[in-house]
């Protein structure tokens, strides 16, 4: 798993509880996405709307528990963003 995945996960984990909820992913990508893209943490095309963020969450939530662990998240973003 990449260092970029860890940086992105930590940036999206708004309550810093070690997991991501759908609401956190959507809110954090809307508020922090452009800055993260400008910093090179995510590709510019990786910053989408709420539907894109929700789809990313659904794809990553393999066990269906409605929260993402770092491992679930990293597996998707590493593959999707080519890290």
């Amino acid at each position: 798993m990449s260092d970029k995945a860890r940086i992105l996960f930590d940036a999206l984990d708004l309550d810093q509880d070690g997991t991501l909820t759908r609401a956190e992913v959507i809110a954090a990508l809307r508020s922090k996405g452009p800055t993260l893209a400008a910093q090179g943490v995510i590709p510019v095309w990786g910053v989408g709307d709420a539907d894109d963020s929700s789809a990313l969450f659904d794809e990553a939530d393999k066990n269906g528990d409605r929260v993402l662990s770092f491992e679930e998240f990293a597996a998707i973003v590493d593959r999707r963003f080519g890290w």
Side-chain angles (χ1 to χ4, degrees):
M1 292 174 220
S2 72
D3 292 337
K4 285 187 178 184
R6 173 50 73 185
I7 293 167
L8 182 56
F9 184 90
D10 290 345
L12 301 181
D13 188 8
L14 299 176
D15 62 7
Q16 299 179 343
D17 69 350
T19 61
L20 298 176
T21 64
R22 179 185 308 277
E24 276 181 309
V25 170
I26 292 169
L29 282 175
R30 289 185 75 194
S31 65
K32 297 180 178 184
T35 301
L36 293 168
Q39 294 171 343
V41 176
I42 59 174
V44 174
W45 57 264
V47 179
D49 61 15
D51 290 337
D52 294 331
S53 299
S54 188
L56 173 73
F57 183 92
D58 289 339
E59 184 180 351
D61 188 19
K62 295 297 185 192
N63 63 5
D65 65 355
R66 293 188 250 160
V67 295
L68 300 181
S69 66
F70 172 69
E71 291 75 17
E72 286 176 310
F73 179 79
I76 294 304
V77 297
D78 280 348
R79 185 177 71 238
R80 183 177 276 195
F81 296 150
W83 296 334

